[in-house]
Amino acid sequence: DADVTQTPRNRITKTGKRIMLECSQTKGHDRMYWYRQDPGLGLRLIYYSFDVKDINKGEISDGYSVSRQAQAKFSLSLESAIPNQTALYFCATSDGTSGGFTDTQYFGPGTRLTVL
Amino acid sequence: QKEVEQDPGPLSVPEGAIVSLNCTYSNSAFQYFMWYRQYSRKGPELLMYTYSSGNKEDGRFTAQVDKSSKYISLFIRDSQPSDSATYLCAMSAQRGSTLGRLYFGRGTQLTVWP
């Protein structure tokens, strides 16, 4: 079984709908991250969490919210989806032993989201 | 100006060729440099990690960092079709704090044909 799983893998939705993307990990890592990947723009950090009680905004958090339900679960919500949120979304985890973001990050398989 | 610049390619080479992938950056505080490999329909996975300047070799892969020029490279020797993927550079400034956030390049798409 994969260490970092994301559900759903693909989602098509309409403008204005609320969407939740879920991430689960079995690696036992404290640190979890949400990124989006757009063609030509690379990976951009949306939110990150260094432990269950810690939530931080990344560089593009507007229009998104997150919930860290447990060490193993980190969900990303789009409160009112808009077309420019169409992208590939990745969850990642790291163990925190190296400190900061220089820990090796392990990525899930991604969720392809299309907002019409 | 983006923190990290990377030519997206695409780059297409024959099997056995030496491949050179590069990134430039603007933040002189970056000290930690990484290369991730991303296969189609998969998440990125860490390929190599270097600290500060110098070279690091791992099998057919060599990572080079030139901090004076703010330039990093990944060389792939004897390239194989299985090396076909998108390669993303990433870098960060400092451990142990949010200042260590990873900054990714756009990724270079590589195809190695038999």
Short mmCIF file of all heavy atoms in Angstrom, two decimals, chain A residues 28-90:
data_model
loop_
_atom_site.label_atom_id
_atom_site.label_comp_id
_atom_site.label_asym_id
_atom_site.label_seq_id
_atom_site.Cartn_x
_atom_site.Cartn_y
_atom_site.Cartn_z
N GLY A 28 3.92 7.87 9.59
CA GLY A 28 4.16 8.30 10.96
C GLY A 28 4.83 9.67 11.06
O GLY A 28 5.38 10.03 12.10
N HIS A 29 4.77 10.44 9.99
CA HIS A 29 5.39 11.76 9.97
C HIS A 29 4.50 12.81 10.64
O HIS A 29 3.28 12.77 10.52
CB HIS A 29 5.68 12.18 8.53
CG HIS A 29 6.78 11.39 7.90
ND1 HIS A 29 7.04 11.46 6.54
CD2 HIS A 29 7.68 10.53 8.40
CE1 HIS A 29 8.07 10.67 6.26
NE2 HIS A 29 8.46 10.10 7.38
N ASP A 30 5.17 13.76 11.30
CA ASP A 30 4.42 14.86 11.92
C ASP A 30 4.08 15.96 10.91
O ASP A 30 3.09 16.66 11.06
CB ASP A 30 5.24 15.48 13.05
CG ASP A 30 5.25 14.60 14.29
OD1 ASP A 30 4.25 13.91 14.54
OD2 ASP A 30 6.28 14.60 15.00
N ARG A 31 4.93 16.15 9.91
CA ARG A 31 4.80 17.30 9.02
C ARG A 31 4.05 16.94 7.75
O ARG A 31 4.36 15.94 7.12
CB ARG A 31 6.18 17.85 8.70
CG ARG A 31 6.90 18.29 9.95
CD ARG A 31 8.27 18.82 9.71
NE ARG A 31 8.82 19.30 10.99
CZ ARG A 31 9.74 20.22 11.10
NH1 ARG A 31 10.26 20.76 10.01
NH2 ARG A 31 10.17 20.60 12.28
N MET A 32 3.08 17.78 7.41
CA MET A 32 2.31 17.56 6.19
C MET A 32 2.14 18.87 5.45
O MET A 32 2.12 19.95 6.05
CB MET A 32 0.95 16.93 6.52
CG MET A 32 1.09 15.56 7.20
SD MET A 32 -0.46 14.69 7.42
CE MET A 32 -0.82 14.13 5.74
N TYR A 33 2.00 18.76 4.13
CA TYR A 33 2.00 19.93 3.25
C TYR A 33 0.96 19.74 2.14
O TYR A 33 0.72 18.63 1.71
CB TYR A 33 3.37 20.10 2.57
CG TYR A 33 4.57 19.98 3.48
CD1 TYR A 33 5.07 18.74 3.85
CD2 TYR A 33 5.22 21.12 3.94
CE1 TYR A 33 6.17 18.63 4.68
CE2 TYR A 33 6.34 21.01 4.76
CZ TYR A 33 6.80 19.77 5.12
OH TYR A 33 7.90 19.68 5.95
N TRP A 34 0.42 20.85 1.66
CA TRP A 34 -0.39 20.85 0.46
C TRP A 34 0.24 21.79 -0.56
O TRP A 34 0.55 22.96 -0.26
CB TRP A 34 -1.82 21.32 0.73
CG TRP A 34 -2.71 20.22 1.21
CD1 TRP A 34 -3.16 20.00 2.48
CD2 TRP A 34 -3.30 19.19 0.41
NE1 TRP A 34 -3.98 18.90 2.51
CE2 TRP A 34 -4.08 18.38 1.26
CE3 TRP A 34 -3.24 18.87 -0.95
CZ2 TRP A 34 -4.79 17.27 0.80
CZ3 TRP A 34 -3.95 17.77 -1.40
CH2 TRP A 34 -4.72 16.98 -0.52
N TYR A 35 0.43 21.27 -1.79
CA TYR A 35 0.96 22.05 -2.90
C TYR A 35 -0.03 21.98 -4.06
O TYR A 35 -0.80 21.03 -4.20
CB TYR A 35 2.27 21.43 -3.42
CG TYR A 35 3.46 21.53 -2.51
CD1 TYR A 35 3.75 20.52 -1.59
CD2 TYR A 35 4.34 22.61 -2.61
CE1 TYR A 35 4.88 20.58 -0.79
CE2 TYR A 35 5.47 22.68 -1.81
CZ TYR A 35 5.73 21.66 -0.91
OH TYR A 35 6.86 21.73 -0.11
N ARG A 36 0.05 22.98 -4.93
CA ARG A 36 -0.60 22.85 -6.23
C ARG A 36 0.45 22.98 -7.32
O ARG A 36 1.46 23.69 -7.15
CB ARG A 36 -1.73 23.86 -6.43
CG ARG A 36 -1.35 25.31 -6.47
CD ARG A 36 -2.54 26.20 -6.75
NE ARG A 36 -2.90 26.24 -8.16
CZ ARG A 36 -3.94 26.91 -8.65
NH1 ARG A 36 -4.76 27.56 -7.82
NH2 ARG A 36 -4.19 26.91 -9.94
N GLN A 37 0.21 22.26 -8.41
CA GLN A 37 1.14 22.28 -9.53
C GLN A 37 0.38 22.71 -10.77
O GLN A 37 -0.63 22.11 -11.14
CB GLN A 37 1.77 20.90 -9.74
CG GLN A 37 2.86 20.88 -10.81
CD GLN A 37 3.55 19.53 -10.90
OE1 GLN A 37 2.90 18.48 -10.81
NE2 GLN A 37 4.86 19.53 -11.06
N ASP A 38 0.86 23.76 -11.41
CA ASP A 38 0.28 24.26 -12.63
C ASP A 38 1.32 24.21 -13.74
O ASP A 38 2.51 24.47 -13.47
CB ASP A 38 -0.17 25.72 -12.46
CG ASP A 38 -1.23 25.87 -11.39
OD1 ASP A 38 -0.87 26.08 -10.21
OD2 ASP A 38 -2.41 25.77 -11.74
N PRO A 39 0.92 23.92 -14.95
CA PRO A 39 1.88 23.90 -16.06
C PRO A 39 2.63 25.22 -16.14
O PRO A 39 2.03 26.29 -16.12
CB PRO A 39 0.99 23.69 -17.29
CG PRO A 39 -0.22 23.02 -16.76
CD PRO A 39 -0.43 23.59 -15.39
N GLY A 40 3.96 25.13 -16.20
CA GLY A 40 4.76 26.34 -16.33
C GLY A 40 5.02 27.09 -15.05
O GLY A 40 5.77 28.08 -15.05
N LEU A 41 4.41 26.65 -13.94
CA LEU A 41 4.59 27.37 -12.67
C LEU A 41 5.23 26.53 -11.59
O LEU A 41 5.56 27.05 -10.53
CB LEU A 41 3.25 27.90 -12.17
CG LEU A 41 2.60 28.99 -13.01
CD1 LEU A 41 1.25 29.39 -12.41
CD2 LEU A 41 3.52 30.22 -13.10
N GLY A 42 5.37 25.25 -11.81
CA GLY A 42 5.98 24.42 -10.79
C GLY A 42 5.07 24.19 -9.60
O GLY A 42 3.86 24.39 -9.68
N LEU A 43 5.66 23.77 -8.51
CA LEU A 43 4.92 23.48 -7.27
C LEU A 43 4.88 24.72 -6.39
O LEU A 43 5.90 25.35 -6.15
CB LEU A 43 5.60 22.36 -6.51
CG LEU A 43 5.40 20.95 -7.05
CD1 LEU A 43 6.46 20.02 -6.48
CD2 LEU A 43 4.01 20.44 -6.69
N ARG A 44 3.70 25.04 -5.90
CA ARG A 44 3.55 26.17 -4.99
C ARG A 44 2.86 25.71 -3.72
O ARG A 44 1.88 24.97 -3.76
CB ARG A 44 2.76 27.29 -5.67
CG ARG A 44 3.51 27.95 -6.82
CD ARG A 44 2.71 29.08 -7.43
NE ARG A 44 1.52 28.60 -8.12
CZ ARG A 44 0.54 29.38 -8.54
NH1 ARG A 44 0.58 30.69 -8.30
NH2 ARG A 44 -0.50 28.87 -9.17
N LEU A 45 3.36 26.17 -2.59
CA LEU A 45 2.89 25.74 -1.28
C LEU A 45 1.61 26.47 -0.91
O LEU A 45 1.56 27.69 -0.93
CB LEU A 45 3.98 25.99 -0.24
CG LEU A 45 3.70 25.54 1.18
CD1 LEU A 45 3.61 24.02 1.25
CD2 LEU A 45 4.80 26.05 2.10
N ILE A 46 0.59 25.70 -0.50
CA ILE A 46 -0.70 26.29 -0.11
C ILE A 46 -0.78 26.43 1.40
O ILE A 46 -1.01 27.51 1.93
CB ILE A 46 -1.87 25.43 -0.62
CG1 ILE A 46 -1.76 25.19 -2.12
CG2 ILE A 46 -3.20 26.12 -0.30
CD1 ILE A 46 -2.78 24.20 -2.66
N TYR A 47 -0.60 25.31 2.11
CA TYR A 47 -0.62 25.28 3.57
C TYR A 47 0.34 24.21 4.02
O TYR A 47 0.64 23.26 3.30
CB TYR A 47 -2.02 24.92 4.11
CG TYR A 47 -2.94 26.08 4.36
CD1 TYR A 47 -3.86 26.47 3.38
CD2 TYR A 47 -2.92 26.77 5.57
CE1 TYR A 47 -4.73 27.53 3.61
CE2 TYR A 47 -3.79 27.83 5.81
CZ TYR A 47 -4.69 28.20 4.82
OH TYR A 47 -5.55 29.25 5.05
N TYR A 48 0.81 24.34 5.27
CA TYR A 48 1.62 23.29 5.85
C TYR A 48 1.33 23.19 7.35
O TYR A 48 0.86 24.15 7.97
CB TYR A 48 3.12 23.51 5.59
CG TYR A 48 3.71 24.77 6.19
CD1 TYR A 48 4.39 24.73 7.39
CD2 TYR A 48 3.60 25.99 5.51
CE1 TYR A 48 4.95 25.88 7.93
CE2 TYR A 48 4.16 27.14 6.04
CZ TYR A 48 4.84 27.08 7.24
OH TYR A 48 5.39 28.23 7.78
N SER A 49 1.63 22.02 7.89
CA SER A 49 1.36 21.73 9.29
C SER A 49 2.52 20.95 9.87
O SER A 49 2.86 19.88 9.36
CB SER A 49 0.06 20.92 9.40
OG SER A 49 -0.12 20.42 10.71
N PHE A 50 3.14 21.45 10.92
CA PHE A 50 4.29 20.75 11.51
C PHE A 50 3.87 19.79 12.62
O PHE A 50 4.68 18.97 13.05
CB PHE A 50 5.32 21.75 12.02
CG PHE A 50 6.23 22.30 10.94
CD1 PHE A 50 6.03 21.98 9.61
CD2 PHE A 50 7.29 23.12 11.25
CE1 PHE A 50 6.86 22.46 8.61
CE2 PHE A 50 8.14 23.61 10.26
CZ PHE A 50 7.92 23.29 8.94
N ASP A 51 2.67 19.94 13.14
CA ASP A 51 2.09 18.91 14.00
C ASP A 51 0.58 19.17 14.05
O ASP A 51 0.09 20.11 13.44
CB ASP A 51 2.72 18.87 15.39
CG ASP A 51 2.51 20.13 16.20
OD1 ASP A 51 1.39 20.68 16.19
OD2 ASP A 51 3.46 20.58 16.85
N VAL A 52 -0.13 18.35 14.78
CA VAL A 52 -1.59 18.38 14.75
C VAL A 52 -2.14 19.75 15.14
O VAL A 52 -3.16 20.19 14.63
CB VAL A 52 -2.17 17.27 15.65
CG1 VAL A 52 -3.68 17.38 15.73
CG2 VAL A 52 -1.79 15.90 15.12
N LYS A 53 -1.45 20.45 16.03
CA LYS A 53 -1.97 21.74 16.52
C LYS A 53 -1.38 22.93 15.78
O LYS A 53 -1.62 24.09 16.15
CB LYS A 53 -1.67 21.88 18.01
CG LYS A 53 -2.36 20.84 18.87
CD LYS A 53 -2.02 21.02 20.34
CE LYS A 53 -2.70 19.96 21.18
NZ LYS A 53 -2.36 20.09 22.63
N ASP A 54 -0.62 22.66 14.73
CA ASP A 54 0.10 23.72 14.02
C ASP A 54 -0.35 23.79 12.57
O ASP A 54 -0.24 22.80 11.84
CB ASP A 54 1.61 23.43 14.09
CG ASP A 54 2.42 24.44 13.30
OD1 ASP A 54 2.55 25.57 13.76
OD2 ASP A 54 2.90 24.07 12.20
N ILE A 55 -0.89 24.93 12.16
CA ILE A 55 -1.32 25.14 10.77
C ILE A 55 -0.74 26.47 10.32
O ILE A 55 -0.84 27.48 11.03
CB ILE A 55 -2.86 25.21 10.66
CG1 ILE A 55 -3.51 23.93 11.17
CG2 ILE A 55 -3.28 25.51 9.22
CD1 ILE A 55 -3.33 22.73 10.27
N ASN A 56 -0.15 26.48 9.13
CA ASN A 56 0.47 27.70 8.62
C ASN A 56 0.13 27.92 7.16
O ASN A 56 0.04 26.96 6.39
CB ASN A 56 2.00 27.61 8.74
CG ASN A 56 2.45 27.36 10.16
OD1 ASN A 56 2.48 28.28 10.98
ND2 ASN A 56 2.78 26.12 10.46
N LYS A 57 -0.03 29.19 6.80
CA LYS A 57 -0.28 29.52 5.39
C LYS A 57 1.01 29.44 4.60
O LYS A 57 2.07 29.80 5.08
CB LYS A 57 -0.86 30.93 5.30
CG LYS A 57 -2.25 31.08 5.89
CD LYS A 57 -2.76 32.50 5.70
CE LYS A 57 -4.18 32.63 6.24
NZ LYS A 57 -4.70 34.01 6.06
N GLY A 58 0.86 29.00 3.35
CA GLY A 58 1.97 29.02 2.42
C GLY A 58 1.89 30.25 1.55
O GLY A 58 1.31 31.26 1.94
N GLU A 59 2.43 30.16 0.35
CA GLU A 59 2.50 31.35 -0.50
C GLU A 59 1.21 31.65 -1.23
O GLU A 59 1.00 32.78 -1.68
CB GLU A 59 3.64 31.19 -1.50
CG GLU A 59 3.53 29.98 -2.41
CD GLU A 59 4.71 29.86 -3.37
OE1 GLU A 59 4.98 30.82 -4.09
OE2 GLU A 59 5.31 28.78 -3.40
N ILE A 60 0.29 30.68 -1.34
CA ILE A 60 -0.94 30.91 -2.11
C ILE A 60 -2.15 30.37 -1.37
O ILE A 60 -2.92 29.59 -1.89
CB ILE A 60 -0.86 30.30 -3.52
CG1 ILE A 60 -0.47 28.82 -3.46
CG2 ILE A 60 0.13 31.04 -4.40
CD1 ILE A 60 -0.81 28.07 -4.73
N SER A 61 -2.39 30.79 -0.14
CA SER A 61 -3.45 30.22 0.69
C SER A 61 -4.84 30.81 0.43
O SER A 61 -5.84 30.22 0.84
CB SER A 61 -3.09 30.38 2.17
OG SER A 61 -2.92 31.75 2.47
N ASP A 62 -4.92 31.95 -0.23
CA ASP A 62 -6.22 32.59 -0.46
C ASP A 62 -7.16 31.65 -1.23
O ASP A 62 -6.81 31.11 -2.27
CB ASP A 62 -6.06 33.90 -1.23
CG ASP A 62 -5.47 35.00 -0.38
OD1 ASP A 62 -5.38 34.81 0.85
OD2 ASP A 62 -5.09 36.04 -0.94
N GLY A 63 -8.38 31.50 -0.69
CA GLY A 63 -9.37 30.64 -1.34
C GLY A 63 -9.33 29.20 -0.87
O GLY A 63 -10.13 28.39 -1.31
N TYR A 64 -8.38 28.88 0.01
CA TYR A 64 -8.22 27.53 0.53
C TYR A 64 -8.27 27.54 2.06
O TYR A 64 -7.95 28.54 2.69
CB TYR A 64 -6.86 26.95 0.11
CG TYR A 64 -6.62 26.87 -1.37
CD1 TYR A 64 -5.93 27.88 -2.04
CD2 TYR A 64 -7.06 25.77 -2.11
CE1 TYR A 64 -5.70 27.81 -3.40
CE2 TYR A 64 -6.82 25.69 -3.47
CZ TYR A 64 -6.14 26.71 -4.11
OH TYR A 64 -5.91 26.64 -5.46
N SER A 65 -8.64 26.41 2.63
CA SER A 65 -8.52 26.20 4.06
C SER A 65 -8.11 24.76 4.29
O SER A 65 -8.23 23.92 3.37
CB SER A 65 -9.84 26.50 4.80
OG SER A 65 -10.86 25.62 4.37
N VAL A 66 -7.61 24.46 5.47
CA VAL A 66 -7.15 23.11 5.77
C VAL A 66 -7.62 22.68 7.14
O VAL A 66 -7.98 23.51 7.99
CB VAL A 66 -5.61 22.98 5.70
CG1 VAL A 66 -5.10 23.13 4.28
CG2 VAL A 66 -4.95 23.96 6.66
N SER A 67 -7.57 21.39 7.35
CA SER A 67 -7.89 20.80 8.64
C SER A 67 -6.94 19.64 8.88
O SER A 67 -6.76 18.79 8.01
CB SER A 67 -9.34 20.30 8.64
OG SER A 67 -9.61 19.59 9.83
N ARG A 68 -6.31 19.64 10.05
CA ARG A 68 -5.43 18.52 10.42
C ARG A 68 -6.19 17.71 11.47
O ARG A 68 -6.17 18.01 12.66
CB ARG A 68 -4.12 19.07 10.99
CG ARG A 68 -3.09 17.99 11.30
CD ARG A 68 -2.37 17.53 10.08
NE ARG A 68 -1.46 16.43 10.35
CZ ARG A 68 -0.17 16.57 10.63
NH1 ARG A 68 0.37 17.77 10.70
NH2 ARG A 68 0.57 15.50 10.85
N GLN A 69 -6.84 16.67 11.01
CA GLN A 69 -7.74 15.90 11.88
C GLN A 69 -6.97 14.98 12.82
O GLN A 69 -7.47 14.59 13.89
CB GLN A 69 -8.71 15.07 11.04
CG GLN A 69 -9.60 15.88 10.11
CD GLN A 69 -9.04 15.99 8.71
OE1 GLN A 69 -7.82 16.08 8.51
NE2 GLN A 69 -9.92 15.99 7.73
N ALA A 70 -5.80 14.59 12.42
CA ALA A 70 -4.98 13.65 13.19
C ALA A 70 -3.58 13.73 12.60
O ALA A 70 -3.36 14.36 11.56
CB ALA A 70 -5.54 12.23 13.09
N GLN A 71 -2.64 13.05 13.24
CA GLN A 71 -1.28 13.07 12.70
C GLN A 71 -1.28 12.56 11.26
O GLN A 71 -0.54 13.05 10.42
CB GLN A 71 -0.35 12.19 13.55
CG GLN A 71 1.10 12.26 13.08
CD GLN A 71 1.93 11.06 13.51
OE1 GLN A 71 1.46 9.93 13.48
NE2 GLN A 71 3.15 11.31 13.94
N ALA A 72 -2.15 11.60 10.98
CA ALA A 72 -2.11 10.94 9.68
C ALA A 72 -2.99 11.60 8.62
O ALA A 72 -2.94 11.19 7.47
CB ALA A 72 -2.52 9.48 9.83
N LYS A 73 -3.79 12.59 8.98
CA LYS A 73 -4.77 13.12 8.04
C LYS A 73 -4.70 14.64 7.95
O LYS A 73 -4.74 15.34 8.96
CB LYS A 73 -6.17 12.69 8.44
CG LYS A 73 -6.39 11.18 8.37
CD LYS A 73 -7.83 10.83 8.68
CE LYS A 73 -8.05 9.33 8.67
NZ LYS A 73 -7.84 8.75 7.33
N PHE A 74 -4.70 15.11 6.69
CA PHE A 74 -4.61 16.55 6.43
C PHE A 74 -5.48 16.83 5.22
O PHE A 74 -5.20 16.34 4.14
CB PHE A 74 -3.15 16.91 6.17
CG PHE A 74 -2.81 18.37 6.18
CD1 PHE A 74 -3.45 19.28 7.01
CD2 PHE A 74 -1.79 18.85 5.35
CE1 PHE A 74 -3.10 20.62 7.04
CE2 PHE A 74 -1.43 20.19 5.37
CZ PHE A 74 -2.09 21.07 6.21
N SER A 75 -6.55 17.62 5.42
CA SER A 75 -7.51 17.86 4.35
C SER A 75 -7.41 19.30 3.85
O SER A 75 -7.17 20.22 4.63
CB SER A 75 -8.94 17.61 4.85
OG SER A 75 -9.09 16.29 5.29
N LEU A 76 -7.63 19.44 2.57
CA LEU A 76 -7.62 20.76 1.93
C LEU A 76 -9.02 21.05 1.40
O LEU A 76 -9.60 20.19 0.72
CB LEU A 76 -6.63 20.78 0.77
CG LEU A 76 -6.56 22.06 -0.07
CD1 LEU A 76 -5.90 23.19 0.72
CD2 LEU A 76 -5.80 21.81 -1.37
N SER A 77 -9.55 22.22 1.71
CA SER A 77 -10.89 22.59 1.24
C SER A 77 -10.82 23.83 0.37
O SER A 77 -10.07 24.76 0.65
CB SER A 77 -11.83 22.86 2.41
OG SER A 77 -12.08 21.68 3.15
N LEU A 78 -11.64 23.80 -0.67
CA LEU A 78 -11.88 24.98 -1.48
C LEU A 78 -13.31 25.40 -1.15
O LEU A 78 -14.26 24.69 -1.47
CB LEU A 78 -11.75 24.65 -2.98
CG LEU A 78 -10.35 24.42 -3.55
CD1 LEU A 78 -9.72 23.15 -3.01
CD2 LEU A 78 -10.40 24.39 -5.06
N GLU A 79 -13.44 26.51 -0.46
CA GLU A 79 -14.75 26.92 0.05
C GLU A 79 -15.74 27.22 -1.06
O GLU A 79 -16.90 26.88 -0.99
CB GLU A 79 -14.59 28.12 0.98
CG GLU A 79 -13.73 27.85 2.19
CD GLU A 79 -14.26 26.71 3.06
OE1 GLU A 79 -15.50 26.56 3.15
OE2 GLU A 79 -13.44 25.96 3.61
N SER A 80 -15.27 27.89 -2.09
CA SER A 80 -16.11 28.23 -3.24
C SER A 80 -15.21 28.17 -4.47
O SER A 80 -14.53 29.14 -4.80
CB SER A 80 -16.71 29.62 -3.06
OG SER A 80 -17.53 29.96 -4.17
N ALA A 81 -15.20 27.02 -5.10
CA ALA A 81 -14.24 26.78 -6.17
C ALA A 81 -14.42 27.75 -7.35
O ALA A 81 -15.55 28.13 -7.70
CB ALA A 81 -14.37 25.34 -6.67
N ILE A 82 -13.29 28.13 -7.92
CA ILE A 82 -13.28 28.99 -9.10
C ILE A 82 -12.39 28.36 -10.17
O ILE A 82 -11.50 27.57 -9.84
CB ILE A 82 -12.81 30.42 -8.78
CG1 ILE A 82 -11.42 30.40 -8.13
CG2 ILE A 82 -13.82 31.14 -7.90
CD1 ILE A 82 -10.86 31.80 -7.85
N PRO A 83 -12.61 28.69 -11.46
CA PRO A 83 -11.86 28.02 -12.52
C PRO A 83 -10.34 28.12 -12.40
O PRO A 83 -9.64 27.18 -12.78
CB PRO A 83 -12.38 28.72 -13.79
CG PRO A 83 -13.78 29.08 -13.44
CD PRO A 83 -13.72 29.51 -12.00
N ASN A 84 -9.81 29.23 -11.85
CA ASN A 84 -8.34 29.29 -11.79
C ASN A 84 -7.76 28.45 -10.66
O ASN A 84 -6.54 28.46 -10.43
CB ASN A 84 -7.84 30.75 -11.75
CG ASN A 84 -8.00 31.41 -10.42
OD1 ASN A 84 -8.50 30.83 -9.47
ND2 ASN A 84 -7.58 32.67 -10.34
N GLN A 85 -8.60 27.70 -9.97
CA GLN A 85 -8.12 26.70 -9.02
C GLN A 85 -8.00 25.32 -9.68
O GLN A 85 -7.66 24.34 -9.02
CB GLN A 85 -9.03 26.62 -7.80
CG GLN A 85 -8.93 27.88 -6.93
CD GLN A 85 -9.87 27.87 -5.75
OE1 GLN A 85 -11.06 27.55 -5.89
NE2 GLN A 85 -9.38 28.22 -4.58
N THR A 86 -8.25 25.27 -10.96
CA THR A 86 -8.00 24.06 -11.74
C THR A 86 -6.50 23.79 -11.74
O THR A 86 -5.72 24.63 -12.18
CB THR A 86 -8.51 24.21 -13.18
OG1 THR A 86 -9.94 24.30 -13.15
CG2 THR A 86 -8.09 23.02 -14.04
N ALA A 87 -6.10 22.63 -11.23
CA ALA A 87 -4.68 22.32 -11.07
C ALA A 87 -4.53 20.89 -10.59
O ALA A 87 -5.50 20.19 -10.32
CB ALA A 87 -4.02 23.28 -10.07
N LEU A 88 -3.28 20.49 -10.46
CA LEU A 88 -2.92 19.21 -9.85
C LEU A 88 -2.50 19.51 -8.42
O LEU A 88 -1.64 20.36 -8.19
CB LEU A 88 -1.78 18.57 -10.64
CG LEU A 88 -1.37 17.14 -10.38
CD1 LEU A 88 -2.57 16.21 -10.49
CD2 LEU A 88 -0.29 16.74 -11.37
N TYR A 89 -3.13 18.84 -7.45
CA TYR A 89 -2.86 19.11 -6.05
C TYR A 89 -2.11 17.92 -5.43
O TYR A 89 -2.51 16.77 -5.59
CB TYR A 89 -4.17 19.34 -5.29
CG TYR A 89 -4.82 20.65 -5.64
CD1 TYR A 89 -5.64 20.77 -6.77
CD2 TYR A 89 -4.58 21.80 -4.88
CE1 TYR A 89 -6.20 21.98 -7.11
CE2 TYR A 89 -5.15 23.01 -5.21
CZ TYR A 89 -5.96 23.10 -6.33
OH TYR A 89 -6.52 24.31 -6.67
N PHE A 90 -1.03 18.26 -4.72
CA PHE A 90 -0.23 17.23 -4.07
C PHE A 90 -0.19 17.45 -2.57
O PHE A 90 -0.02 18.58 -2.09
CB PHE A 90 1.20 17.24 -4.59
CG PHE A 90 1.35 16.69 -5.97
CD1 PHE A 90 1.50 17.54 -7.06
CD2 PHE A 90 1.33 15.32 -6.20
CE1 PHE A 90 1.64 17.04 -8.34
CE2 PHE A 90 1.46 14.82 -7.48
CZ PHE A 90 1.61 15.67 -8.55
#
